[in-house]
Amino acid sequence: MSTRGGYPSCRSIARWRLGLIFDEAAVNSIKHAFKGDGGRISVQLQSAIGYGEGRLRIADNGGGFAAPRGEGGSGLKFMTSLARQIGGTLEKQSSGDGTTISVSFPVLA
């Protein structure tokens, strides 16, 4: 696992929810992406993305997934709900080269 980034200033409740999003995304990668062959999870935490905005990005180099109809599985719904609770948005991208979860969220000035 590799990490890169700064420490955006945000409320402790937002940090807690971002931690839960990270945990869910990392566990999903370990359980589903690598199929026992190992792989890489990359984590970036950035501030100053836009005016008063930060971003948490979790990516793996696994096989990707085809999202079921609708919003996806319970893990994706959980992460989306957590992002909304802190005034953020969650985007997911998946292909044969891996999956990326990006959460944009407000930071304190």
Side-chain angles (χ1 to χ4, degrees), residues 73-106:
S74 60
L76 287 172
K77 289 177 184 174
F78 176 61
M79 291 186 288
T80 299
S81 173
L82 290 169
R84 287 181 183 155
Q85 290 172 28
I86 59 172
T89 58
L90 183 136
E91 295 179 19
K92 57 191 176 305
Q93 297 176 335
S94 191
S95 70
D97 296 326
T99 299
T100 300
I101 301 292
S102 295
V103 180
S104 297
F105 57 94

Side-chain angles (χ1 to χ4, degrees), residues 7-109:
Y7 298 95
S9 177
C10 57
R11 302 179 323 260
S12 62
I13 195 76
R15 289 191 300 266
W16 181 71
R17 283 176 171 80
L18 289 169
L20 288 172
I21 292 168
F22 162 76
D23 183 65
E24 180 69 21
V27 167
N28 283 346
S29 292
I30 293 166
K31 284 173 50 178
H32 304 292
F34 304 132
K35 309 284 188 223
D37 297 332
R40 183 175 184 88
I41 300 172
S42 171
V43 180
Q44 293 178 326
L45 182 60
Q46 301 170 293
S47 59
I49 298 303
Y51 180 73
E53 188 173 82
R55 181 177 302 132
L56 172 64
R57 182 178 173 273
I58 306 108
D60 67 50
N61 65 346
F65 69 94
R69 284 184 265 163
E71 293 287 319
S74 60
L76 287 172
K77 289 177 184 174
F78 176 61
M79 291 186 288
T80 299
S81 173
L82 290 169
R84 287 181 183 155
Q85 290 172 28
I86 59 172
T89 58
L90 183 136
E91 295 179 19
K92 57 191 176 305
Q93 297 176 335
S94 191
S95 70
D97 296 326
T99 299
T100 300
I101 301 292
S102 295
V103 180
S104 297
F105 57 94
V107 297
L108 300 176

